[in-house]
């Protein structure tokens, strides 16, 4: 065999695996069907701005080992994600749900006042569920109503979530909404993690650093010549779609995909923030990303007379599109479980990442997962 590992997919899982294996002296070959490595981290430079071509990526973790690891590849900046939401009522709200949001929504000024308001709203939701004979939230809507109440659910959650997932909140799993913190402090930091940032110089620096010294072949689809590729290495690390790996024998898994309408504007500062969510069902896109704010702060924003924005539209995935998010509803989880059974029996194939594990992974847990394999 020419290689110890054939790594299929040059995204974060594949690149991290290759880096660690290479360090141990293993011979690695990475192949990817796209024209460049990086998976969905890939950035394209437009007007001197790193444009997150596959959507906003913000690295966040409390895992010191993971943070030190990525910073050893490329130093990270101090970007802190503080998205703002434009709601159906026309007002702007801070996210995640915190004292600023509660003040904007209800005019409450202290944690005690906010707490009272929240309890009042939660009580309503719990009573409705009890009347229906339900003790625990069965879906995202019930989870949101018992977590944060009707006012915020209607202004900031329902429209956004149904656009993003193309499904009713009553048909979505409750865990999705538990990704968002609820706080009684004036803290707009979207994440609870100890560490957060963007690689200085963009994500391509992270990927290029991970893949430094490793053979990478792009524009190469494993499935176009599976026989050949299976013969080049002792082991395969597969980061593509698990259902495709098994020829869809148990049926196709569903994904959501995202489409970006990207424009260069002749102004320095379009929306004053990297991320503005549009939570109304009437507006077709879910958010507008203004990419320069990931890496340019304060006066630096005005040094570049131009800016690049991307409107993000979410649609159902179909063949030929890029899959972004697994749809972890019951039907898909059942199909995935069957593929997982097969995967567990493989002795020479390692499955990893959002598509191969059919899991809504963030970036840092991907790296932590690769660590466990070494
Ligand atoms: N969400 C919402 N309103 C918002 C932002 C997020 O209701 O303004 C919900 C929505 O259901 C979404 C989930 O929170 O799917 C998780 O959001 P997150 O920002 O973590 O999603 P990602 O950035 O991974 O797309």
């Amino acid at each position: 065999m020419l290689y110890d590992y054939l790594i299929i997919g040059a995204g974060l899982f594949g690149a991290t695996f290759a880096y660690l294996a290479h360090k141990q002296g293993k011979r690695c070959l990475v192949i990817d069907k796209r024209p460049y490595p990086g998976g969905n981290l890939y950035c394209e430079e437009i007007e001197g701005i790193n444009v997150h071509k596959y959507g906003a990526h913000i690295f966040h973790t409390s895992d010191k080992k993971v943070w030190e690891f990525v910073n050893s590849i490329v130093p990270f900046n101090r970007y802190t994600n503080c998205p703002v939401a434009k709601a159906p009522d026309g007002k702007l709200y801070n996210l995640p749900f915190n004292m600023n949001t509660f003040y904007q929504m209800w005019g409450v000024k202290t944690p005690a006042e906010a707490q009272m308001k929240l309890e009042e709203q939660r009580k309503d939701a719990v009573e409705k569920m009890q009347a229906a004979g339900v003790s625990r939230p069965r879906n995202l809507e019930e989870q949101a109503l018992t977590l944060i109440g009707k006012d915020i659910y209607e202004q900031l959650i329902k429209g956004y979530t149904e656009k993003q997932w193309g499904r009713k909140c009553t048909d979505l799993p409750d865990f999705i909404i538990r990704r968002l913190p609820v706080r009684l402090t004036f803290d707009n930091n979207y994440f609870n993690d100890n560490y957060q940032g963007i690689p200085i110089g963009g994500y391509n620096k992270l990927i290029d650093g991970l893949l430094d010294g490793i053979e990478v072949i792009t524009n190469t689809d494993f499935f176009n010549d599976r026989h050949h590729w299976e013969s080049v290495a002792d082991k395969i690390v597969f980061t593509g779609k698990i259902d495709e790996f098994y020829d869809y024998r148990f049926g196709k898994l569903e994904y959501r995909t995202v489409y970006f309408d990207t424009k260069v504007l002749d102004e320095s500062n379009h929306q004053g923030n990297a991320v503005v969510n549009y939570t109304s069902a009437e507006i077709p896109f879910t958010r507008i990303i203004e990419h320069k704010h990931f890496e340019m702060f304060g006066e630096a924003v005005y040094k570049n007379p131009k800016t690049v924005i991307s409107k993000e539209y979410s649609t159902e995935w179909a063949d030929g599109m890029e899959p972004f998010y697994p749809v972890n509803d019951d039907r898909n989880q059942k199909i995935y479980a069957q593929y997982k059974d097969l995967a567990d029996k493989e002795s020479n194939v390692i499955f990893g990442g959002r598509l191969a594990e059919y899991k809504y992974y963030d970036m840092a847990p991907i790296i932590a997962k690769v660590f466990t394999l070494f």
Side-chain angles (χ1 to χ4, degrees):
M1 290 283 184
L2 283 166
Y3 300 97
D4 296 303
Y5 291 108
L6 170 71
I7 297 152
I8 301 159
L12 190 59
F13 189 100
T16 307
F17 189 97
Y19 178 89
L20 294 176
H22 179 70
K23 251 192 144 167
Q24 289 189 345
K26 300 281 195 261
R27 296 158 306 161
C28 298
L29 172 65
V30 182
I31 61 171
D32 198 293
K33 64 179 176 186
R34 286 187 188 162
Y36 33 72
N40 285 3
L41 266 61
Y42 179 75
C43 291
E44 183 184 357
E45 200 190 304
I46 304 176
E47 299 289 347
I49 296 161
N50 290 315
V51 173
H52 294 210
K53 208 171 153 63
Y54 300 94
H57 280 76
I58 299 135
F59 199 96
H60 57 97
T61 184
S62 286
D63 185 330
K64 195 155 182 258
K65 263 174 55 195
V66 168
W67 184 244
E68 281 169 358
F69 173 75
V70 292
N71 276 272
S72 75
I73 308 289
V74 50
F76 276 55
N77 70 20
R78 61 106 174 136
Y79 176 79
T80 306
N81 197 32
C82 299
V84 168
K86 211 171 229 179
D89 66 10
K91 282 168 48 182
L92 286 178
Y93 291 91
N94 287 109
L95 293 174
F97 312 122
N98 73 84
M99 281 303 296
N100 289 302
T101 328
F102 306 141
Y103 174 65
Q104 291 148 354
M105 179 72 63
W106 299 310
V108 291
K109 292 179 182 157
T110 63
E113 284 171 32
Q115 182 71 30
M116 262 172 53
K117 198 77 199 169
L118 280 170
E119 270 164 23
E120 193 184 297
Q121 297 243 328
R122 287 174 181 147
K123 203 167 140 259
D124 262 12
V126 171
E127 279 169 9
K128 283 212 179 89
M129 273 172 52
Q130 278 167 349
V134 182
S135 61
R136 271 218 250 119
R138 291 166 299 180
N139 53 53
L140 195 151
E141 176 169 294
E142 289 176 357
Q143 176 68 75
L145 288 171
T146 51
L147 193 73
I148 199 84
K150 180 166 167 282
D151 293 351
I152 288 184
Y153 174 67
E154 284 176 355
Q155 287 302 321
L156 301 176
I157 298 174
K158 189 169 192 286
Y160 185 93
T161 301
E162 294 188 346
K163 278 192 288 187
Q164 176 170 1
W165 296 97
R167 285 159 177 75
K168 297 266 162 238
C169 286
T170 44
D171 293 332
L172 285 165
D174 56 344
F175 77 86
I176 294 177
I177 201 66
R178 288 200 306 269
R179 287 168 60 87
L180 305 189
V182 178
R183 299 192 188 111
L184 292 174
T185 50
F186 290 93
D187 178 2
N188 294 327
N189 184 347
Y190 202 59
F191 303 113
N192 281 325
D193 288 316
N194 290 343
Y195 312 105
Q196 173 172 184
I198 306 278
I200 294 174
Y203 279 95
N204 296 0
K205 290 240 181 324
L206 176 63
I207 292 294
D208 293 347
L210 290 170
L211 293 174
D212 190 27
I214 293 160
E215 209 179 320
V216 181
I217 309 178
T218 51
N219 287 311
T220 300
D221 189 341
F222 168 75
F223 294 107
N224 285 344
D225 199 356
R226 183 169 185 156
H227 243 62
H228 163 69
W229 292 115
E230 281 176 340
S231 72
V232 303
D234 290 330
K235 284 196 177 209
I236 284 180
V237 176
F238 183 76
T239 73
K241 289 162 55 218
I242 190 167
D243 53 350
E244 187 174 13
F245 190 87
Y246 289 113
D247 292 323
Y248 304 106
R249 71 181 73 168
F250 303 124
K252 284 192 178 183
L253 291 165
E254 294 173 298
Y255 302 87
R256 290 297 285 176
T257 189
V258 196
Y259 155 78
F260 299 96
D261 175 18
T262 297
K263 285 198 171 67
V264 178
L265 303 179
D266 277 319
E267 56 181 324
S268 293
N269 189 5
H270 179 66
Q271 62 181 17
N273 207 21
V275 185
V276 178
N277 290 358
Y278 286 76
T279 57
S280 160
E282 307 299 313
I283 294 171
F285 46 86
T286 51
R287 47 190 169 189
I288 299 182
I289 306 298
E290 187 171 10
H291 301 270
K292 70 177 356 178
H293 296 297
F294 288 125
E295 294 183 65
M296 299 171 190
F297 309 110
E299 283 310 300
V301 168
Y302 292 93
K303 289 209 176 107
N304 186 335
K306 295 193 193 247
T307 195
V308 183
I309 62 161
S310 299
K311 284 185 182 161
E312 184 171 328
Y313 295 84
S314 183
T315 62
E316 199 67 11
W317 175 85
D319 276 328
M321 293 177 171
E322 304 283 358
F324 280 73
Y325 296 95
V327 180
N328 299 104
D329 59 11
D330 288 346
R331 180 188 161 269
N332 285 294
Q333 285 307 109
K334 282 192 188 121
I335 297 176
Y336 171 67
Q338 292 176 278
Y339 289 119
K340 171 91 168 52
D341 271 350
L342 291 184
D344 287 342
K345 292 190 189 104
E346 303 275 358
S347 50
N348 291 324
V349 188
I350 297 167
F351 294 84
R354 259 196 196 193
L355 302 179
E357 294 180 66
Y358 201 64
K359 186 171 166 193
Y360 191 176
Y361 265 121
D362 289 329
M363 289 180 281
I366 289 272
I367 291 176
K369 176 75 190 259
V370 179
F371 283 173
T372 66
L373 301 172
F374 284 84

